[in-house]
């Protein structure tokens, strides 16, 4: 039984020059992967922002407080958000569009929404017990 004609070694299937092996450029592969990941992230962001996909993402806890007489927005930022930084101030302004247009001219009684980054405090007796054993956070940390 005769099989299909075989090309002599060093030649392609149809008697022409041998087919060169395709080598993938590692940089091109990496760029392709990055582009795919980026495009996927953009699509997911677009879909979730337009309400087409409902994801149960954790929301940051916020608290609403009223500015008291003699109190500053900076004091509230330090107490609830953490540090008094430009980034934290901008975050507070984004949460309070139309209310905190000018951070220097905020009237007492103004309702302000703040991210609540405070850590829960242990009851004093429980905190004492843990601190005596060197296992808890000391006051002021």
């Amino acid at each position: 039984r005769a099989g299909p004609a075989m090309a002599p070694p060093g030649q392609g299937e149809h008697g022409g020059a041998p087919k060169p092996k395709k080598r993938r450029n590692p940089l091109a592969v990496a760029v392709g992967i990055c582009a795919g990941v980026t495009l996927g992230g953009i699509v997911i962001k677009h879909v979730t922002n337009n309400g087409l996909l409902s994801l149960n993402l954790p929301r940051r806890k916020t608290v609403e407080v009223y500015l008291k007489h003699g109190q500053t927005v900076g004091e509230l930022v330090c107490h609830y958000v953490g540090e008094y930084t430009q980034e934290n101030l901008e975050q507070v302004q984004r949460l309070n569009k139309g209310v905190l247009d000018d951070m220097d001219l905020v009237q007492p009684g103004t309702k302000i929404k703040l991210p609540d980054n405070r850590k829960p405090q242990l009851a004093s007796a429980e905190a004492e017990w843990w601190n005596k054993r060197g296992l808890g956070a000391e006051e002021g940390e």
Side-chain angles (χ1 to χ4, degrees):
R1 173 174 160 205
M6 298 289 287
Q11 291 187 355
E13 287 179 28
H14 303 290
K19 278 187 169 179
K21 287 188 176 182
K22 287 187 179 180
R23 285 195 65 186
R24 294 183 185 212
N25 182 344
L27 179 60
V29 171
V31 168
I33 290 171
C34 290
V37 169
T38 302
L39 182 61
I42 291 170
V43 168
I44 289 172
K45 182 172 177 50
H46 174 74
V47 168
T48 56
N49 284 346
N50 290 328
L52 301 173
L53 179 66
S54 176
L55 298 175
N56 291 326
L57 299 174
R59 293 181 182 240
R60 296 195 94 180
K61 185 177 173 186
T62 59
V63 63
E64 291 180 346
V65 295
Y66 290 92
L67 187 69
K68 296 177 185 170
H69 184 72
Q71 206 173 31
T72 66
V73 175
E75 289 173 9
L76 294 175
V77 168
C78 289
H79 182 74
Y80 290 97
V81 183
E83 296 180 4
Y84 184 84
T85 63
Q86 188 64 34
E87 182 182 342
N88 286 341
L89 289 174
E90 289 170 1
Q91 183 181 16
V92 170
Q93 279 186 307
R94 280 192 303 272
L95 284 172
N96 296 280
K97 286 182 183 173
V99 177
L100 294 179
D101 294 328
D102 187 353
M103 298 281 275
D104 296 324
L105 297 173
V106 183
Q107 298 296 318
T110 303
K111 185 169 146 182
I112 301 172
K113 190 173 186 178
L114 298 160
D116 192 359
N117 294 337
R118 298 175 294 172
K119 293 181 181 172
Q121 299 291 319
L122 294 173
S124 58
E126 187 179 354
E128 259 180 57
W129 186 89
W130 285 103
N131 289 336
K132 279 182 187 176
R133 288 154 183 80
L135 301 172
E138 296 292 330
E139 291 276 327
E141 283 188 7

